[in-house]
């Protein structure tokens, strides 16, 4: 009955792992060939694969795990999806309803353990509830602000037989969607931006989730307002557009931070305005007279920054309603944009090139990524892990297309990239997929290489190996008294041999001139491929705002 | 009263912060009856750094739904976050913020005192529930402040035990 319901919901992929409390489901899986099941090597990998799948194609995938440790292994993956508003359905086996509360074998309180990292969750103890629950779960996961929904199903319910009832309508009184746009309020917002002397727009993941890139571009161009994106909003606005401020936040570009800190009207759309965006909250955008906040989740209004104009609505609907209401632009607009251009010249993104004498012959990560992005030709999906590799990949991103950069922004989950890249490749077999990771995060979920090899997925892994936890090392150097405490990674595997042990070809690269040929080989090789780029262990991420400081205080790369 | 281990922090200072309204909110919440409802609401309150001053739950007029009356300190968040966060919980059907509204707010206290001389308590509006060899049991209902005064008055009668409910509220008729 569960599997039939999943078919009915249009599910294509299930990422899962069988065990004692979900065996009744697995027994019948082969009777449902439309449901493609991918056997993972650890449940966390399953959640990240479903996450990468949904981020790449917009549809939810399903995760299966057994009770106790199986379900608890999902927690990090659920949290990652929850923080970044990614739809997912997790179906966990629970001990039989008659065993609940008896500390039965592999029993754990999964609802209790996951309620802080799921949009909603259900414990199903009766077969009669199952069709309704599954139908509701998909609705809740995919509508409004998306998120993971967990269904914990007792083993006896999985085995029970009942009349197949197809729920024909949804009735969830406690779940209201904010679809309606207040036109007057939208007009007020549009006029505030148009009439501003120094307007700035910041766009988050919500713009991508509601597919509002086109509407954002139209609004920004008509309003003559520059647009920056959050880390998760990358792709919401073309980086090469003259109005682009690129990435904002405490590792954002200098010209973006200058613009935000000098703006008089700041519009934040589809974003949470978290501490990574504001740095020291009391000094965030201090010259702003009017904050405008657009988000589909009303609880975001005033959670971190109290807006003067709030629009609780889908980003696309809101922007669509706003664009026609833009009035005459402020006369000082040209001056403001010229000022931003000057800041762009004054504070460019820069790095020490590998062939510069200051690099001491060490390979610089930016050279690797620039080569990768050149090959990606504005259309490949790039999945980054967490840490320096993530910020380098974000800042040197040069696309003008949405939805192609995937990373764990809110949760910052190390080990995300490889399984998420696998999920993305299942979702978009037509697209090249590049996985960028540091060696620290990579070994956290490296067991999923089996999945990439088993299914011969064309995932190219760009390992930026700096023999350390680079971001931790950089923070220790700069903000924790220069004490390098447990940030050096020694005794790591030989990544070429590790890849070969999984049956996957790999190459090691430590010189600039080897980068291109290695990338050529990776691209030409069918199936997964890893390049172990041994990069400069001292390479740092810039710009960066020192911890606890305001966005005004960003540090730039040394000359 | 449920004491939070965390004392309420200073109110948020956001750049555009308008005047900080009273951080303690009184909310009347209609919820779905279910095994997960209470733990989801209490978990939310804990992880958002709110602080429960009082809580009372009972069946509502509609089958399958309960009415909760919550008195919550918003902690370091802005006061309206309490309502907004509760509204995100799928089991929560409706949240009414009745903090500054004109409401009847009633609490119940049941107490056992050693004394048999309870005329003073009865005069205040208490009702005698039983009288036994070890003392008298009385009940009293009223506004929170009156209940507090009543509990103080009990001290003079040799209190053995006191059980006190959280407030339940209802808007006054117009």
């Amino acid at each position: 009955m569960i599997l039939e319901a999943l078919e009915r919901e249009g599910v294509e992929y299930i990422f899962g792992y069988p065990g004692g409390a979900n065996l009744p489901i697995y027994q019948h899986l082969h009777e449902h060939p439309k449901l493609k099941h991918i056997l993972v090597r650890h449940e966390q990998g399953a959640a990240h694969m479903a996450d990468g799948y949904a981020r790449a194609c917009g549809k939810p995938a399903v995760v299966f795990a057994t009770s106790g440790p199986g379900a608890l292994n999902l927690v990090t993956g659920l949290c990652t999806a929850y923080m970044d508003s990614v739809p997912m359905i997790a179906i966990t086996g629970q001990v039989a309803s008659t065993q609940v509360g008896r500390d039965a074998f592999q029993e754990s309180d999964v609802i209790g353990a996951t309620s802080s990292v799921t949009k909603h969750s259900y414990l199903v103890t009766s077969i009669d509830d199952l069709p309704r629950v599954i139908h509701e779960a998909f609705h809740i996961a995919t509508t409004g602000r998306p998120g993971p929904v967990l269904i914990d199903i007792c083993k006896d319910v999985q085995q029970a037989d009942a009349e197949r009832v197809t729920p024909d309508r949804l009735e969830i009184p406690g779940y209201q969607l904010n679809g309606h746009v207040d036109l007057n309020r939208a007009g007020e917002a549009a006029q505030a931006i148009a009439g501003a002397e120094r307007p700035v727009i910041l766009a988050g993941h919500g713009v991508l989730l509601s597919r509002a890139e086109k509407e954002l571009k139209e609004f920004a161009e008509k309003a003559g307002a520059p647009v920056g994106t959050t880390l998760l909003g990358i792709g919401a606005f073309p980086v090469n557009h003259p109005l682009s401020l690129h990435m904002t936040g405490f590792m954002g570009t200098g010209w973006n931070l200058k613009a935000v800190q000098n703006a008089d009207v700041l519009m934040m759309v589809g974003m949470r305005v978290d501490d990574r965006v504001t740095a020291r909250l009391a000094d965030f955008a201090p010259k702003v007279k009017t904050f405008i906040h657009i988000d589909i989740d009303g609880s975001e209004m005033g959670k971190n920054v109290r807006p003067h104009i709030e629009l609780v609505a889908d980003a696309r609907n809101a922007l669509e309603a706003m664009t026609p209401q833009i009035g005459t632009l402020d006369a000082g607009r040209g001056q403001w944009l010229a000022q931003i251009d000057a800041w762009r010249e004054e504070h460019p993104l820069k790095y020490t090139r590998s062939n510069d004498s200051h690099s001491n012959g060490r390979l610089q990560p930016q050279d690797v990524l620039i080569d990768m992005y050149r090959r990606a030709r504005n259309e490949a999906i790039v999945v980054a892990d967490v840490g320096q590799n993530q910020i380098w990949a974000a800042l040197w991103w040069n696309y003008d297309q949405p939805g192609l950069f995937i990373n764990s922004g809110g949760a910052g989950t190390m080990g995300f990239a490889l399984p998420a890249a696998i999920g993305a490749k299942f979702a978009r077999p037509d697209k090249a997929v590049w996985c960028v990771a540091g060696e620290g995060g990579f070994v956290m979920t490296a067991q999923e290489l089996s999945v990439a090899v088993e299914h011969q997925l064309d995932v190219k892994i760009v390992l930026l190996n700096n023999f350390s936890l680079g971001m931790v090392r950089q923070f220790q150097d700069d903000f924790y008294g220069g004490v390098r405490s447990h940030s050096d990674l020694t005794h790591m595997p030989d990544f070429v041999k590790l890849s070969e042990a999984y049956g996957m070809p790999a190459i090691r690269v430590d010189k600039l001139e080897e980068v291109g040929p290695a990338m050529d080989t990776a691209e030409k090789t069918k199936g997964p491929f890893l390049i172990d780029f041994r990069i400069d262990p001292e390479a740092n991420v810039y710009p960066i705002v020192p911890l606890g400081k305001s966005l005004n205080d960003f540090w730039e790369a040394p000359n | 009263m449920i004491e939070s281990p965390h004392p309420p922090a200073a109110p948020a200072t956001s750049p555009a912060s308008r005047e900080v309204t009273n951080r303690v909110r009184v909310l009347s919440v209609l919820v779905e009856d279910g095994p997960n409802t209470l733990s989801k609401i209490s978990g939310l309150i804990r992880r958002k750094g709110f602080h429960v001053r009082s809580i009372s739950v009972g069946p509502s007029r509609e089958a399958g739904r309960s009415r909760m009356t919550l008195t919550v300190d918003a902690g370091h968040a802005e006061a309206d976050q309490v309502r907004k966060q509760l509204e995100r919980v799928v089991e929560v059907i409706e949240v009414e913020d009745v903090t500054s509204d004109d409401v009847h707010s009633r609490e119940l206290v049941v107490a056992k005192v050693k004394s048999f001389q309870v005329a003073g308590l009865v005069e205040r509006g208490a009702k005698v529930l039983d009288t036994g060899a070890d003392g008298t049991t009385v009940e009293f209902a009223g506004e929170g402040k009156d209940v507090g005064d009543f509990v103080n008055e009990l001290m003079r009668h040799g209190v053995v035990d006191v059980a006190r409910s959280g407030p339940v509220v209802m808007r006054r008729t117009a």
Side-chain angles (χ1 to χ4, degrees), chain A residues 187-346:
Chain A
E188 213 185 313
Q191 283 150 28
I193 286 281
E197 199 179 305
R198 304 181 307 278
V200 167
I201 300 169
L202 293 179
H205 197 199
V207 172
L208 295 167
L209 287 169
S210 73
R211 302 213 153 80
E213 310 86 20
K214 189 166 81 59
E215 287 74 10
L216 174 64
K217 193 156 158 265
E218 278 167 11
F219 178 81
E221 286 173 349
K222 191 166 174 201
V227 184
T229 73
T230 65
L231 173 62
L232 282 176
I234 282 181
F237 195 77
V239 173
N240 298 323
H241 195 285
L243 288 171
S244 170
L245 300 171
H246 207 332
M247 190 169 86
T248 195
F250 94 129
M251 292 178 183
T253 63
W255 71 93
N256 182 307
L257 303 187
K258 284 278 180 188
V260 168
Q261 293 300 84
N262 286 287
D264 63 344
V265 176
L266 181 61
M267 177 169 117
M268 306 165 294
V269 50
M271 58 187 275
R272 304 177 286 130
V273 205
D274 81 339
D275 58 308
R276 287 304 194 248
V277 161
T278 63
R280 191 165 65 209
L281 186 59
D283 298 323
F284 174 63
K287 297 181 183 168
V288 167
K289 295 191 203 87
T290 309
F291 279 106
I292 304 164
H293 197 172
I294 304 168
D295 201 281
I296 200 161
D297 181 350
S299 76
E300 292 301 342
M301 302 297 143
K303 189 176 85 178
N304 296 319
V305 170
R306 170 67 60 187
H308 302 85
I309 304 172
E310 55 179 58
L311 276 165
V312 179
D314 174 79
R316 188 166 57 180
N317 295 345
L319 289 164
E320 252 172 12
M322 285 165 68
T323 303
Q325 302 197 64
I326 296 170
T328 318
L329 303 192
D330 182 84
R333 187 57 50 81
Q335 207 183 330
W336 173 236
L337 295 178
Q339 173 65 70
I340 287 169
D341 288 340
W343 283 327
R344 195 185 280 116
E345 293 284 310
E346 210 178 317

Side-chain angles (χ1 to χ4, degrees), chain A residues 121 174 297 299 301 306 308, chain B residues 16 40 78 80-81 84 88:
Chain A
S121 55
D297 181 350
S299 76
M301 302 297 143
R306 170 67 60 187
H308 302 85
Chain B
K40 283 192 182 172
E78 299 222 0
D80 64 350
Q81 278 292 308
K84 288 176 172 176
R88 296 179 81 206

Side-chain angles (χ1 to χ4, degrees), chain A residues 82 111 115-116 119-123 140 145 172-176 281-282 284-286 291 297-310, chain B residues 12-18 32 35-36 39-40 43-44 46-48 65 76-81 83-94:
Chain A
Y82 181 66
I111 300 288
S115 58
S116 65
K119 186 175 174 186
H120 191 43
S121 55
Y122 297 91
L123 171 64
I140 290 173
R145 177 178 180 170
I172 320 171
Y175 185 69
Q176 309 289 338
L281 186 59
F284 174 63
F291 279 106
D297 181 350
S299 76
E300 292 301 342
M301 302 297 143
K303 189 176 85 178
N304 296 319
V305 170
R306 170 67 60 187
H308 302 85
I309 304 172
E310 55 179 58
Chain B
T13 50
S14 67
S17 184
R18 290 170 190 165
E32 266 178 47
N36 304 323
S39 79
K40 283 192 182 172
L44 169 84
R46 175 185 52 75
R47 66 177 176 270
K48 289 289 169 188
R65 293 178 180 187
H76 66 258
E78 299 222 0
D80 64 350
Q81 278 292 308
R83 176 181 55 78
K84 288 176 172 176
Q85 293 295 334
L86 282 168
E87 282 172 344
R88 296 179 81 206
V89 178
V90 175
E91 286 88 348
V92 169
I93 296 159
E94 189 182 86

Side-chain angles (χ1 to χ4, degrees), chain A residues 349-368:
Chain A
L349 281 176
K350 56 187 176 183
Y351 70 101
T352 311
R353 285 174 171 70
S354 307
N355 50 14
D356 187 291
S357 61
H358 291 95
S359 285
N360 296 322
R362 302 275 198 180
L363 181 60
Q364 299 302 312
Q366 294 90 341
D367 282 325
V368 175

Side-chain angles (χ1 to χ4, degrees), chain A residues 22 46 98 181 202 294 406 410 456 458 482 519 546 552:
Chain A
N22 65 1
T98 53
V181 182
L202 293 179
I294 304 168
I406 293 174
Q456 278 302 298
D458 256 319
M519 292 282 202
N552 292 324

